[in-house]
Amino acid sequence: MGEENQTSANEFIILGFFDLPHLQVPLFVSFLLIYFLTLIANLLIMVIVYSNTQLHTPMYFFLTNLAFVDITQTTIIFPNMLAHFFQKGTPISMTGCLLQMYFFITMVSTELLLLGVMAYDRYQAICNPLRYTTIMNNVKCITLAALSWIVGLMDAIPHIVQIAGLSFCGSHKINHFFCDVTAVMKLACSSTRSLEELSYIIGVIVGLIPFVLTIASYISIISTILKIQSTEGRNKAFSTCASHLSVVILFYGVICSTYMRPTSTYSIKDNKLLSLSYVAVTPLCNPIIYSLKNTEFRKNLKKTKITG
């Protein structure tokens, strides 16, 4: 009792899905299956791309980066989340909570930027096909990927500094399945206004600007595709771009609805569901949408011998 009345927290309690006792076993089995499928699907992408020189192209280079992000993101969350099903109220130290939060924010930010880079790559491939290999050379691809990672790593620092400076004088129970920024903010007894404002500013820089540039790229892409005379060529280009664009809209939509809103409108139930959509569903869907439905990738998958 006395520990929860202190002005700072040395430990938080993650409640997980304690409010759904009748669904504990189905949820555990479902999340465990999703985690393993996510790891297998994304590792498969990395192995196939590495093993086949035909796939050593900018698009698949960025895709392997995205696959690594998805593996890391799910591994940051899922092992601890699965442990919550065996213990009601899993303790986590303040340092552990901040580290989980830092790496999660880093992965989300990096993924946002990589999605924008991939849109730029598709723009160059469709709108400038003759100059594509010159524009998207190895140096430029590595630079764009490196910048995405560096900005992602830097993006998380201000959030963590702000969270570490908050006072927690009430409950230390996080009604979520991981150390989510918004959920932790709700426990603070000191003002979180500066943190909210910071989140909006960084959200615009890291999220909204790449999204607007992505939309602008797709306007040019669609305009170019409509000029293609071959029906087969048009359908192939539309299929590739539509898959990427649908994931971009889904991912950005969920992120914005979850974090780009005042804490006064925060709903624990809604936030958990929204978080699950990009923590569990998106990392599993990415390899399916980007590669497993791609004809070129399927052909190389059949050629690659993977011993079990």
Side-chain angles (χ1 to χ4, degrees), residues 202-235:
I202 294 179
V204 169
I205 296 172
V206 178
L208 187 58
I209 291 177
F211 178 72
V212 171
L213 293 175
T214 298
I215 296 300
S217 296
Y218 271 101
I219 291 174
S220 298
I221 288 172
I222 293 172
S223 176
T224 301
I225 290 175
L226 292 174
K227 296 176 184 178
I228 298 175
Q229 298 298 320
S230 168
T231 302
E232 183 181 352
R234 270 201 312 270
N235 290 338

Side-chain angles (χ1 to χ4, degrees), residues 185 192-203:
M185 283 169 57
T192 60
R193 183 174 180 178
S194 60
L195 180 56
E196 289 186 62
E197 292 174 350
L198 176 70
S199 297
Y200 275 102
I201 294 171
I202 294 179

Side-chain angles (χ1 to χ4, degrees), residues 39 148 194 210 243 290:
L39 292 181
S148 298
S194 60
S243 298
Y290 287 115

Side-chain angles (χ1 to χ4, degrees), residues 102-103 106-107 109-110 148-158:
Y102 173 80
F103 286 110
T106 294
M107 293 306 118
S109 300
T110 303
S148 298
W149 281 99
I150 292 170
V151 173
L153 289 166
M154 293 177 62
D155 172 39
I157 296 175

Side-chain angles (χ1 to χ4, degrees), residues 8-113:
S8 62
N10 294 318
E11 185 177 81
F12 289 112
I13 301 294
I14 298 179
L15 299 179
F17 296 93
F18 79 101
D19 52 339
L20 300 171
H22 57 294
L23 295 176
Q24 293 295 293
V25 174
L27 284 175
F28 175 81
V29 173
S30 299
F31 292 147
L32 183 62
L33 180 62
I34 289 173
Y35 181 47
F36 279 122
L37 288 176
T38 300
L39 292 181
I40 292 170
N42 284 285
L43 282 172
L44 184 62
I45 285 179
M46 298 175 73
V47 170
I48 297 300
V49 172
Y50 177 79
S51 304
N52 294 272
T53 55
Q54 300 96 322
L55 299 180
H56 292 180
T57 63
M59 181 178 74
Y60 286 102
F61 169 71
F62 295 127
L63 185 58
T64 55
N65 276 266
L66 190 66
F68 183 77
V69 168
D70 287 335
I71 289 172
T72 306
Q73 177 180 301
T74 52
T75 302
I76 290 167
I77 303 298
F78 269 76
N80 284 332
M81 181 177 71
L82 291 170
H84 300 163
F85 290 96
F86 296 99
Q87 179 181 356
K88 181 179 178 180
T90 306
I92 184 170
S93 66
M94 180 66 168
T95 301
C97 186
L98 291 175
L99 283 173
Q100 186 185 59
M101 198 181 295
Y102 173 80
F103 286 110
F104 178 73
I105 294 173
T106 294
M107 293 306 118
V108 171
S109 300
T110 303
E111 182 153 356
L112 289 170
L113 294 165

